[in-house]
Amino acid sequence: MKTHSQSTQIPKYSKGSAKGAKCALARFAFSCAMSCVCICGVLAEPTSTKNAQKDATANTTKSTPNEATPPKKTKTTDEESAFASSIQDSKTTTAQITLRQPYNDLETALPSEDFGENFTLPKIADSSMDLLLLQGADDLYHSNFAESLENFLLLYDKTKEPYYAKLAAQAALGKGDIQTAFSLANLYVEQSGDENDVIINKILADAFVQNGQMDKAIIALEKVKKLEDTDALNDVLANLYMLQKQLPKALSLFEELYEKTKNPEVLKKILVIFLSQEKTQKALGVLSEHLLSEGCEDLFCEEALSFYVDSNALNMAKAVFEKIYQKSPTIPNATNYMRVLVALKQYQEAQGIAQSFPFDQGLLLDLYVMQGDFEKARDLSAQIYAQSKNPRFLALEAIYGLGEGEIAKESAIEAIKKLEKSIKERKKELQSNKQKPTNQDAFFYNFCGYLMIDFDIDIKKGIEYVKEALLVEPYSISYIDSLAWGYYKLGDCAKASQTFGQIPQNRVEKEPELKAHSMQINACRK
């Protein structure tokens, strides 16, 4: 008897293969591309400023320097596009993240260390320009980037001091104007001669990444790394190395980050690199070591199990998840261990664990069905229905009660009664919630209809149930076969043949029941 309860909480896995391992690599690679740390999230440190009140508004017309031109977009690979897309989709820019930090005093606001020990602040001719500086700083602090940009541009126009071009570049980046930020950053480099400024190189890296120039972004960030070696920067740089296929450099940084953080997202990137180097066993070893020492969270556990399956290493997975479960027999750990047991088709062992915990009873029901123990599945379905009044379990009780093998007509009649009651209750539920029938509802419609047709109980009513199933899944071969069989039972050979003709011949040849129906319907035509 082919049926499904659709309450399964344990995913089904197929045997590992070379193709499966490649699928694992693709999944991990996609996950990593989507989780790459956005350049905009960690670069362009703020130039902190004193929190000052606005005393005046400048009315002078401002202009944007155009001494440099933004980088031209180049063709990118799919991976680069995915990375750039993740950056463009970021809701917060560099400046927006970093410029919200607390302010201290004016000396911190315009730090001399940015220009070296002998740097002195640019002299400003009058108090109105003093106000412009404070106003620009205050706007920068409050994320009023457009106003801040205007003030710093005016200061630059009047003084030609490159430092104000730098501040304007930060404001432009916060505003989301990457081209202006790039132009101002280049203007600063050109006029100051300083090619190693941390903030400026972060801004340039932002611009290069936005335009798909990952190689230039790497050069800029390598300059930053010499002066500011942070985990966030190394994560960005490692991702860029990986996108540029500089795997040894990426691996070195990722391993350094992982040792500090034990972050599973970093571990996934390490695994991607090992897989791309065809070091599957090393990847499995690193993954197993992480799970045993750090445990695993829900999503990562599922991904890890998929990786074991695709690498044909389920026995290794069993050893790992069994140790985790024995060390800490919690419901999440029990669930993960059962996933492995189900994948290995060791249902009895999985059932023993399921009965030891207050799991959703649907899980135990699925384990009974997996083992072919339909008597227990029927009894548990009846018990769940009595407790929950969920019509789905009444339908499952009817179906599992038929067992496997030949079905007696009396058993079919009893099952139809329960199925019709279940369908009636379910339709009221759907109507009340303003919902449409699901694929499982369609399964129950067809099952009930086919029993009515095949046992000559009420062929016309059975056909109507099957038609309802087809409204939900119009291309289901099983449902098309049921409808054709109904027309055959009514003696309408033409309709039976026309309907059955929608089923591909190769499917008919593969399935004995379809082949038998085909022969009878063809004989009816003649």
Side-chain angles (χ1 to χ4, degrees):
M1 178 181 64
K2 295 181 180 179
T3 181
H4 59 279
S5 70
Q6 294 191 358
S7 63
T8 305
Q9 299 178 19
I10 303 176
K12 316 298 191 296
Y13 300 98
S14 58
K15 291 184 178 179
S17 63
K19 184 176 181 181
K22 289 180 180 178
C23 289
L25 174 59
R27 280 197 296 273
F28 270 88
F30 175 77
S31 176
C32 289
M34 295 305 292
S35 64
C36 283
V37 175
C38 175
I39 296 288
C40 296
V42 298
L43 303 186
E45 291 290 338
T47 301
S48 303
T49 55
K50 185 177 181 179
N51 188 4
Q53 294 181 344
K54 297 184 180 180
D55 296 314
T57 302
N59 295 318
T60 310
T61 303
K62 286 79 175 180
S63 61
T64 301
N66 56 7
E67 284 83 344
T69 56
K72 293 182 179 179
K73 290 191 176 184
T74 58
K75 292 183 179 179
T76 61
T77 64
D78 290 340
E79 285 179 322
E80 290 169 343
S81 297
F83 185 84
S85 175
S86 72
I87 291 169
Q88 291 164 357
D89 291 341
S90 177
K91 295 181 180 179
T92 312
T93 66
T94 310
Q96 286 173 327
I97 290 174
T98 57
L99 294 178
R100 288 174 186 155
Q101 296 179 358
Y103 282 53
N104 297 316
D105 49 49
L106 188 57
E107 284 69 33
T108 306
L110 301 171
S112 61
E113 56 266 26
D114 283 349
F115 286 89
E117 294 181 0
N118 298 322
F119 172 76
T120 56
L121 288 174
K123 292 181 179 179
I124 300 179
D126 53 47
S127 60
S128 65
M129 297 195 60
D130 257 336
L131 288 175
L132 274 179
L133 176 57
L134 292 174
Q135 196 167 337
D138 189 64
D139 285 330
L140 206 56
Y141 173 69
H142 289 99
S143 302
N144 299 323
F145 299 117
E147 292 85 348
S148 179
L149 175 60
E150 288 184 2
N151 288 323
F152 288 134
L153 284 177
L154 181 56
L155 282 168
Y156 173 78
D157 285 344
K158 289 186 176 296
T159 66
K160 301 304 179 186
E161 289 288 347
Y163 188 68
Y164 296 127
K166 174 180 174 178
L167 293 176
Q170 288 181 265
L173 188 64
K175 181 184 173 185
D177 187 348
I178 193 69
Q179 291 188 349
T180 297
F182 180 80
S183 296
L184 288 164
N186 275 300
L187 177 64
Y188 168 82
V189 172
E190 180 183 328
Q191 295 201 352
S192 69
D194 182 6
E195 296 182 353
N196 297 308
D197 183 88
V198 170
I199 295 173
I200 289 298
N201 276 294
K202 289 178 180 181
I203 293 173
L204 291 174
D206 252 333
F208 288 134
V209 169
Q210 291 271 0
N211 287 279
Q213 296 174 291
M214 306 300 176
D215 52 340
K216 291 184 178 180
I218 286 173
I219 293 171
L221 292 184
E222 285 176 337
K223 291 179 182 179
V224 174
K225 182 174 170 60
K226 291 177 182 178
L227 299 172
E228 184 183 281
D229 193 0
T230 66
D231 290 347
L233 175 68
N234 287 334
D235 191 30
V236 173
L237 192 53
N239 278 299
L240 290 175
Y241 283 143
M242 191 160 71
L243 289 174
Q244 290 299 99
K245 305 296 189 295
Q246 298 180 36
L247 299 185
K249 288 184 177 181
L251 181 60
S252 176
L253 286 180
F254 281 138
E255 286 181 331
E256 181 183 331
L257 284 168
Y258 175 72
E259 285 304 313
K260 290 182 180 179
T261 65
K262 302 298 180 183
N263 187 328
E265 292 303 315
V266 176
L267 175 63
K268 284 161 63 175
K269 294 166 190 176
I270 293 173
L271 297 180
V272 170
I273 294 173
F274 284 145
L275 286 172
S276 66
Q277 295 174 334
E278 298 185 356
K279 297 178 179 178
T280 304
Q281 290 305 311
K282 189 165 186 177
L284 288 167
V286 171
L287 175 60
S288 298
E289 184 179 342
H290 172 87
L291 294 174
L292 288 171
S293 63
E294 306 299 324
C296 66
E297 298 176 358
D298 293 340
L299 181 58
F300 185 71
C301 280
E302 291 181 18
E303 293 171 336
L305 182 52
S306 294
F307 180 67
Y308 281 116
V309 171
D310 292 331
S311 301
N312 201 20
L314 271 176
N315 287 324
M316 181 185 291
K318 181 182 178 182
V320 169
F321 283 98
E322 183 178 16
K323 286 179 181 177
I324 294 173
Y325 168 66
Q326 289 174 345
K327 181 179 179 182
S328 179
T330 63
I331 289 180
N333 289 340
T335 302
N336 293 327
Y337 183 35
M338 283 192 294
R339 285 172 175 162
V340 180
L341 295 173
V342 169
L344 286 167
K345 298 184 179 180
Q346 296 177 4
Y347 302 126
Q348 285 282 355
E349 196 171 345
Q351 180 183 319
I353 296 172
Q355 290 172 331
S356 303
F357 288 89
F359 284 114
D360 180 348
Q361 288 180 302
L363 174 60
L364 187 57
L365 177 61
D366 285 333
L367 288 170
Y368 287 146
V369 174
M370 290 174 190
Q371 297 174 78
D373 193 339
F374 293 108
E375 185 176 345
K376 286 185 179 178
R378 177 202 64 201
D379 293 344
L380 183 56
S381 296
Q383 180 184 334
I384 296 173
Y385 174 69
Q387 293 171 350
S388 67
K389 298 304 177 184
N390 185 333
R392 181 167 69 95
F393 291 99
L394 178 59
L396 291 175
E397 178 194 349
I399 293 169
Y400 295 144
L402 295 173
E404 287 188 301
E406 293 297 321
I407 300 173
K409 188 169 184 176
E410 294 76 13
S411 298
I413 292 171
E414 187 64 28
I416 288 169
K417 289 179 182 177
K418 291 180 180 178
L419 283 165
E420 287 202 285
K421 181 182 178 183
S422 168
I423 290 170
K424 184 178 179 181
E425 291 178 5
R426 173 63 174 159
K427 284 183 176 179
K428 285 183 180 178
E429 186 180 276
L430 291 172
Q431 186 177 8
S432 174
N433 296 327
K434 296 181 180 180
Q435 295 174 331
K436 294 182 179 180
T438 65
N439 288 351
Q440 190 177 60
D441 292 317
F443 172 78
F444 293 143
Y445 298 159
N446 178 73
F447 202 103
C448 183
Y450 186 77
L451 286 177
M452 289 180 168
I453 292 167
D454 201 44
F455 285 93
D456 299 315
I457 294 169
D458 191 335
I459 297 172
K460 289 184 179 180
K461 191 173 184 180
I463 287 175
E464 292 307 311
Y465 274 125
V466 174
K467 285 181 177 179
E468 285 190 73
L470 283 165
L471 287 175
V472 180
E473 293 189 79
Y475 303 108
S476 168
I477 290 175
S478 295
Y479 303 169
I480 292 170
D481 173 55
S482 295
L483 184 59
W485 193 239
Y487 289 138
Y488 169 78
K489 285 279 193 168
L490 286 177
D492 193 338
C493 298
K495 270 192 176 182
S497 178
Q498 181 184 12
T499 302
F500 196 84
Q502 298 175 45
I503 301 174
Q505 189 59 34
N506 63 331
R507 286 292 300 273
V508 174
E509 293 299 323
K510 288 179 182 177
E511 297 187 27
E513 188 173 7
L514 290 178
K515 198 169 184 179
H517 285 179
S518 176
M519 291 175 64
Q520 289 177 271
I521 290 171
N522 286 334
C524 170
R525 270 174 52 192
K526 295 176 181 179

